[in-house]
């Protein structure tokens, strides 16, 4: 029986299948100068995150030193080196959201999810992060779950916002 | 009409005339805001309902429904405008959409109770021309946002899209186009305010077989969302301007570097690029003028510093987004060592309008060396939050109180933060100063990208300075010492002050450090990072002194400086707070008002959370 890998935010498949897809993806960009960041975006969407084994494959396929790949992965906040949850919650803490009470949203979520910002819930459903302005300042405080934006969030709304995501959808 | 290939300026004109004729047959045009803010308030449901209502009333030949980019008044989203009369409806729901279709579009009557309500005047204002938020605006960069179906190249062409490109390619030529922008006085809208025409001239005069033009859409300043509005509401203007710029400087390749936080902008821009390519407005021999040009989107990966042009170039090259030493400047040696010109989204959005209407027209707006208009994002504790475009030279008072409708909940205005982490906090005393590049710099703030965050009396400016320092500290790339270590030391001092451990000499040290970091950091991020600290030290010194001398936070924001007490009139003596207090600082008899021993209190706020009667005050 094939075991499905538990990187919930990526595609489904066996470890070998996923790594093979990563290799295929990266090899298509071998001679395209400057494509490392775009490749990492794609690879992360396939594998879910970018552990060292994945970085190594990308480095080999693009003909780059591993240190260059690791340097880029660690520089940008969108790249994760630990497994991520199926959905990503980003609470905006840009100036407008901060002024309009974003802190209380963060505190309530930390309580409800039982994790600190930056963490992933034990059931693998949510990764919870702080965002540096998502550009919804006119509707502060705002948060996103994946690509869905929730405007003018109140701490009391959080349970009803989170609930549908546990069943996989919006 | 679909997928028309436009091979010449006359094809373009023919398409425009055909679409305009078609549009003129409708009795009403309804513009439904499809900006990111309204999308999050589910404008799609409203549009769906309106479409269904119009169809079921048999009005589809009378009513043209257009989903547009941001109309601007995010505070009342989802919103829409009904033309020919410019009637504004806000806070819409699918039910309200049905009612507007029935009464306004079928019955021809205004649905007054769904119109904008002016609380100051105590009356409904149905027409945009009467609503302060809209009436003071002059839309140049945003001319198509809220008026054009961003997803339809035909509708864009009907609104003169790509005619500026045609004019440049067939009539103006390279030198005159650059000169036109210089005469117009257009300056970079991303923050630094460098004259765009001069930049293009430098790119044009720089020798090189391969050159690049880049649109900087890495809008990272918290509080700024105008570039997002333009990209989502009018992507073709950016594409057209990049093609014009490419032609002027001699580049055949352009990039748009968009931040990963803006997926909707990436989608819409991507579709616009596909449409432009399919129509022949990108690719080879554009408009039969022998000019080849194409554009690629590059998506950022979450690094604020990439808004700095040389860091952005490194990021497009797939590297860590660390800035490069200048000189050489990008126009000399930029992307892959080639001459490169970088312009901000809003700057580019102005270009086609200037080319079509002339430098004199653009320069007739504005004051002094700040010509034209500027887009501002109004946010924070303000009633009418949203996006506005105004002629430069307007006062902050007009913007915040006239257009913005003042502070929420009738609270007192305390400060306005302009220009994000690179900008400064201004006070009541600055409300009558003109908003332009020079005046804002003179006050220690900057125009920046145009984020204006209004703060009311419940804001602590020391805490705000800490907030910005935490931001830049976190986003500092670490390449140079002043920014990497200097901002860290400044943050430590601010944390010391906001946690009640500060001393008066800390303020001197903070000031000294701020000046040094500003003078010695390598790139714009570090050089401007001290601005929020410097301006708050300058204009809110009393508030800092209250923190370090009196150990008080006048706005009751800094937790460690709060003094918790129990209001005996509200306390029911349930002892919920005493049970939760980790320091055993609360005592009292059951069913009698309790009290807090301030010597024992650790100011954690648990009592306040535990109290069901709002009896804990601080």
């Amino acid at each position: 029986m094939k075991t499905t890998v538990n990187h919930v935010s990526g595609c489904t498949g066996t470890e070998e299948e996923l790594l093979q897809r990563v290799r295929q993806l990266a090899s298509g960009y071998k001679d395209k100068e400057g494509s490392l960041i775009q490749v990492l975006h794609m690879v992360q969407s396939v594998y879910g995150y970018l552990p060292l084994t994945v970085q190594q494959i990308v480095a080999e396929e693009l003909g780059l030193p591993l240190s260059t790949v690791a340097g880029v992965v660690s520089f940008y906040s969108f790249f994760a080196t630990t497994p991520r949850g199926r959905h990503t919650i980003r609470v905006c803490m840009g100036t407008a959201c901060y002024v309009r009470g974003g802190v209380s949203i963060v505190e309530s979520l930390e309580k409800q999810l039982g994790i600190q910002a930056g963490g992933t819930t034990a059931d693998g459903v949510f990764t919870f992060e702080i965002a540096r302005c998502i550009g919804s300042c006119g509707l502060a405080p705002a948060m996103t779950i994946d690509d869905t934006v929730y405007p003018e969030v109140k701490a009391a709304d959080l349970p009803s916002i989170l609930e549908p995501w546990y069943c996989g959808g919006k | 009409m679909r997928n028309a290939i436009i091979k010449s300026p006359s094809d373009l004109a023919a398409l425009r005339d055909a679409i305009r004729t078609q549009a003129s047959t409708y009795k009403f045009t309804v513009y439904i805001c499809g900006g990111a803010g309204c999308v999050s308030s589910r404008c799609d449901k409203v549009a769906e309902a309106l479409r269904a209502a119009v169809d079921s009333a048999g009005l589809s030949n009378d009513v043209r429904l257009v989903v547009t980019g941001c109309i601007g008044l995010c505070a009342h989203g989802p919103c829409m405008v009904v033309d020919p009369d410019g009637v504004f409806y806000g806070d819409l729901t699918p039910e309200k959409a049905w009612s507007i279709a029935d009464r306004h579009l079928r019955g021809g009557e205004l649905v007054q109770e769904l119109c904008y309500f002016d609380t100051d005047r105590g009356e409904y204002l149905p027409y945009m021309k009467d609503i302060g938020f809209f009436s003071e605006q002059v839309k140049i960069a945003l001319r198509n946002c809220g008026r054009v179906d961003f997803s339809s190249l035909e509708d864009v062409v009907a609104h003169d899209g790509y005619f500026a490109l045609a004019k440049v390619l067939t009539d103006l030529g390279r030198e005159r186009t650059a000169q036109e922008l210089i005469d117009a006085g257009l300056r970079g809208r991303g923050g630094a305010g460098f004259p765009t025409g001069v930049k293009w001239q430098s790119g044009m005069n720089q020798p090189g077989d391969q050159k690049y033009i880049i649109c900087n859409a890495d809008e990272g300043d918290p509080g700024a969302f105008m570039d997002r509005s333009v990209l989502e509401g009018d992507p073709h203007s950016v594409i057209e301007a990049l093609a014009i710029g490419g032609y002027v400087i001699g580049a055949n390749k352009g990039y748009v570097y968009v931040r990963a936080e803006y997926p909707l902008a990436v989608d819409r821009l991507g579709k616009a690029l596909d449409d432009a390519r399919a129509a022949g407005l990108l690719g080879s021999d554009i408009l039969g003028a022998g000019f080849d040009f194409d554009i690629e989107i590059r998506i950022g990966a979450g690094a604020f510093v990439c808004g700095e042009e040389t860091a952005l170039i490194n990021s497009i090259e797939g590297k860590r987004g660390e800035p490069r030493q200048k000189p050489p400047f990008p126009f000399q040696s930029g992307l892959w060592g080639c001459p490169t010109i970088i312009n901000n989204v809003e700057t580019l959005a102005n270009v086609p309008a200037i080319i079509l209407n002339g430098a004199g027209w653009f320069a007739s707006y504005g004051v002094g060396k700040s010509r034209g208009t500027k887009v501002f994002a109004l946010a924070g504790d303000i009633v009418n939050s949203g996006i506005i475009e105004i002629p430069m030279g307007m006062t902050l008072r007009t913007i915040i109180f006239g257009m913005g409708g003042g502070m929420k909940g009738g609270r007192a205005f305390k400060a306005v933060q302009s220009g994000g982490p690179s900008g400064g906090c201004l006070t009541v005393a600055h409300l009558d100063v003109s908003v332009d590049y020079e005046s804002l710099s003179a006050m220690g703030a900057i125009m920046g990208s145009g984020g204006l965050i209004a703060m009311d009396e419940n804001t602590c400016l020391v805490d705000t300075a800490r907030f910005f320092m935490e931001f830049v500290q976190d986003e500092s790339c670490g390449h140079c010492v002043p920014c990497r270590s200097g901002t860290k030391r400044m943050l430590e001092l601010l944390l010391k002050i906001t946690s009640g451990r500060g001393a008066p000499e800390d303020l001197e040290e903070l000031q000294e450090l701020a000046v040094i970091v500003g003078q010695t950091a390598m790139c714009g991020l570090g050089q401007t990072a001290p601005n929020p600290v410097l301006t708050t030290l300058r204009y809110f010194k009393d508030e800092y002194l209250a923190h370090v001398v009196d150990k008080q936070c006048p706005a009751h924001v800094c937790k460690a400086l709060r003094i918790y007490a129990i209001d005996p009139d509200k306390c029911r003596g349930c002892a919920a707070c005493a049970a939760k207090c980790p320091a055993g600082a609360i005592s009292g008899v059951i069913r009698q008002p309790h009290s807090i021993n301030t010597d024992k209190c650790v100011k954690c706020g648990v009592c306040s959370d535990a109290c069901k009667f709002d009896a804990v005050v601080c």
Side-chain angles (χ1 to χ4, degrees):
Chain A
M1 198 185 102
K2 286 184 175 179
T3 47
T4 306
V5 189
N6 190 29
H7 332 128
V8 280
S9 60
C11 301
T12 35
T14 65
E15 178 77 19
E16 290 72 34
E17 279 167 5
L18 290 181
L19 291 178
Q20 189 52 37
R21 280 168 76 177
V22 165
R23 194 173 288 281
Q24 269 171 2
L25 250 177
S27 68
Y29 288 82
K30 193 170 179 57
D31 300 314
K32 288 195 180 165
E33 211 182 351
S35 43
L36 178 56
I37 292 175
Q38 312 305 312
V39 170
L40 290 173
H41 271 304
M42 289 185 281
V43 166
Q44 180 161 280
S45 70
V46 168
Y47 196 80
Y49 66 111
L50 301 168
L52 205 55
T53 44
V54 170
Q55 293 180 34
Q56 212 140 18
I57 294 172
V58 171
E60 279 164 22
E61 293 303 323
L62 294 182
L64 295 169
L66 176 60
S67 59
T68 303
V69 177
V72 167
V73 168
S74 62
F75 187 85
Y76 295 97
S77 63
F78 264 62
F79 298 136
T81 52
T82 48
R84 301 177 61 84
R86 201 156 44 234
H87 306 293
T88 302
I89 303 176
R90 290 199 171 88
V91 176
C92 185
M93 282 289 266
T95 323
C97 292
Y98 182 75
V99 168
R100 299 292 307 153
V103 182
S104 71
I105 307 296
V106 172
E107 287 172 353
S108 305
L109 268 176
E110 284 180 342
K111 270 186 206 160
Q112 281 179 46
L113 298 172
I115 49 168
Q116 297 289 303
T120 298
T121 52
D123 57 9
V125 176
F126 291 116
T127 291
F128 167 35
E129 294 175 343
I130 304 283
R132 293 300 193 190
C133 195
I134 56 168
S136 295
C137 317
L139 298 165
M143 64 182 261
T144 60
I145 301 184
D146 298 344
D147 285 349
T148 305
V149 180
Y150 294 90
E152 298 178 326
V153 180
K154 292 174 198 70
D157 302 340
L158 289 170
S160 61
I161 289 176
L162 297 184
E163 210 251 358
W165 294 89
Y166 283 102
C167 337
K170 296 172 187 184
Chain B
M1 202 62 70
R2 278 262 150 211
N3 302 323
I5 295 177
I6 301 160
K7 290 186 186 137
S8 64
S10 55
D11 284 356
L12 200 60
L15 179 62
R16 174 178 65 184
D17 297 343
I19 301 287
R20 282 189 180 172
T21 311
Q22 205 183 334
S24 65
T25 60
Y26 294 97
K27 201 167 144 198
F28 291 107
T29 302
V30 181
Y31 302 98
I32 303 170
C33 182
C38 286
V39 167
S40 67
S41 321
R42 300 314 303 261
C43 64
D44 54 333
K45 299 277 176 211
V46 173
E48 225 170 77
L50 195 65
R51 198 158 279 141
V54 165
D55 286 347
S56 79
L59 294 170
S60 25
N61 290 328
D62 291 338
V63 181
R64 186 168 152 256
L65 294 186
V66 186
V67 175
T68 69
C70 184
I71 288 176
L73 193 43
C74 304
H76 290 287
C79 57
M80 66 187 205
V81 173
V82 181
D83 261 5
D85 301 321
V87 176
F88 178 84
Y89 290 112
D91 301 303
L92 294 171
T93 59
E95 295 72 37
K96 290 178 183 172
W98 276 91
S99 144
I100 291 166
D102 180 45
R103 289 164 60 189
H104 190 149
L105 304 177
R106 194 180 56 80
E109 91 180 92
L110 278 177
V111 190
Q112 174 133 319
E113 70 275 17
L114 299 182
C115 293
Y116 178 85
F117 186 77
D118 188 309
T119 39
D120 285 346
R121 293 164 63 170
E123 59 178 328
Y124 287 102
L125 301 176
Y127 302 104
M128 281 173 100
K129 63 179 171 47
D130 299 324
I131 302 172
F133 184 85
F134 296 110
S135 61
E136 306 271 351
Q137 297 197 46
V138 174
K139 292 197 171 187
I140 297 177
L142 298 180
R143 63 194 175 283
N144 289 337
C145 288
R147 307 298 295 173
V148 170
D149 178 356
F150 53 81
S151 66
S152 154
L153 178 63
E154 287 78 10
D155 199 34
V156 170
V157 170
H159 287 80
D160 296 323
Y162 294 97
F163 278 82
L165 176 62
K167 186 174 174 185
V168 167
L169 293 180
T170 57
D171 175 22
L172 279 186
R174 304 167 70 187
E175 284 84 2
R176 275 171 62 204
T177 303
Q179 192 56 49
E180 194 74 3
L181 295 187
I182 293 173
D183 295 344
L186 177 65
R187 295 167 66 180
R189 300 296 196 239
F194 190 83
T196 308
V198 175
K199 203 186 239 188
W200 283 18
Q201 247 175 10
S202 317
M204 180 171 72
N205 296 331
Q206 191 68 21
D209 297 333
Q210 180 66 62
K211 298 179 187 178
Y212 296 101
I213 184 160
I214 299 174
C215 169
N216 181 349
D218 192 50
E219 183 177 52
D221 275 5
F225 50 108
M226 61 286 293
D227 291 350
R228 164 184 207 158
S229 293
V230 172
L231 278 181
E232 291 172 354
D234 191 17
H236 284 286
S237 281
V238 177
I239 296 171
E240 183 183 7
L242 274 177
I244 294 172
Y247 179 72
V248 169
I249 67 164
N252 57 21
K253 173 108 198 193
Y255 286 92
V256 181
Y257 185 91
V258 192
R259 63 198 297 244
E261 288 87 340
Y262 288 179
L264 191 63
V266 173
D267 280 357
R268 290 183 181 175
L269 179 66
K271 182 181 182 303
L273 284 172
D274 290 344
D275 291 349
R277 240 174 249 132
L281 293 166
L282 286 177
S284 54
D285 193 21
I286 294 169
L287 293 171
F291 170 55
D292 303 341
F293 187 74
D294 212 331
I295 297 171
E296 201 178 303
I297 301 178
R298 284 298 169 103
I299 301 168
F304 176 67
V305 68
C306 289
E308 199 280 338
E309 55 182 11
T310 58
L312 185 151
I313 288 172
N314 274 335
S315 189
I316 291 185
E317 291 182 5
K319 299 175 185 156
R320 288 164 68 90
E322 287 167 355
R324 298 174 181 177
Q325 195 69 258
K326 291 192 274 192
F329 291 95
F331 81 87
Q332 300 162 312
S333 172
L335 191 60
W336 289 299
C338 301
T340 304
I341 293 300
I342 303 179
N343 294 117
N344 147 280
V345 175
E346 187 192 334
T347 315
L348 289 171
N350 279 297
V351 170
I354 294 172
I355 301 297
L356 287 180
N357 298 301
W361 163 80
F362 186 80
S364 70
Y365 298 103
V367 285
K369 289 181 186 163
S370 305
R371 309 313 309 182
T373 55
K374 177 77 190 87
V375 181
F376 287 97
L378 294 184
D381 300 320
I382 197 162
V383 174
N384 292 334
S385 54
I387 294 274
I388 55 165
E389 181 170 359
I390 48 151
M392 281 195 267
M394 195 175 262
T395 63
L396 281 170
R397 188 183 301 281
T398 311
I399 297 173
I400 293 169
F401 292 93
M403 309 176 81
M407 298 292 106
K408 275 189 180 165
R411 284 184 289 272
F413 166 84
K414 181 164 180 180
V416 58
Q417 209 280 342
S418 151
S422 313
C425 296
L426 301 173
T427 72
V428 180
H430 302 110
L431 282 176
D432 292 311
V433 177
S434 140
V435 173
D436 59 72
Y437 289 102
E438 281 68 32
S439 309
L440 284 174
S441 300
M443 294 183 285
I446 60 165
M447 179 88 86
S449 47
L452 283 180
I453 314 268
M455 302 174 187
D456 68 21
E457 55 195 330
N458 294 334
T459 314
C460 169
L461 268 300
V462 183
D463 180 64
T464 304
R466 178 205 56 80
F467 166 81
F468 280 113
M469 200 42 67
E470 208 167 73
F471 179 92
V472 286
Q473 222 301 293
D474 199 38
E475 294 293 344
S476 170
C477 77
H479 195 73
C480 74
V481 178
C483 183
R484 183 179 67 230
S485 301
T487 56
K488 179 89 179 159
R489 296 290 92 80
M490 284 166 73
L491 176 61
E492 283 166 0
L493 281 170
L494 286 162
L495 283 170
K496 193 177 162 194
I497 295 167
T498 51
S499 64
R501 293 176 290 114
E505 50 271 26
D506 289 333
L507 302 186
E508 286 159 39
E509 198 181 334
L510 193 59
Q511 171 87 27
E512 194 186 338
L513 257 175
V515 172
I516 293 171
V517 170
Q519 287 171 344
T520 56
M522 183 178 151
C523 82
L525 189 154
Q527 287 159 9
T528 56
N531 284 350
V533 171
L534 287 169
T535 48
T536 47
L537 273 172
R538 189 162 149 197
Y539 302 125
F540 297 91
K541 190 68 176 267
D542 289 350
E543 200 158 353
Y544 275 94
L545 287 173
H547 282 70
V548 294
V549 179
D550 310 332
K551 305 288 179 196
Q552 276 179 13
C553 173
H556 305 292
V557 171
C558 299
K559 266 189 179 171
L561 292 170
R562 289 179 187 166
I563 296 169
Y564 285 88
I566 293 172
D567 181 345
D569 295 337
K570 286 187 179 168
C571 181
R572 307 275 184 89
C574 71
C577 55
K580 289 261 172 77
C581 179
I586 304 177
S587 55
V589 180
I590 291 288
R591 294 198 189 85
Q592 298 288 320
H594 282 46
S595 64
I596 298 175
N597 179 345
T598 45
D599 292 337
K600 279 190 181 173
C601 175
V602 293
K603 300 172 183 183
C604 62
V606 164
C607 50
S608 175
D609 293 341
C611 181
K612 291 186 186 121
F613 310 103
D614 278 336
V616 179
V617 289
C618 61

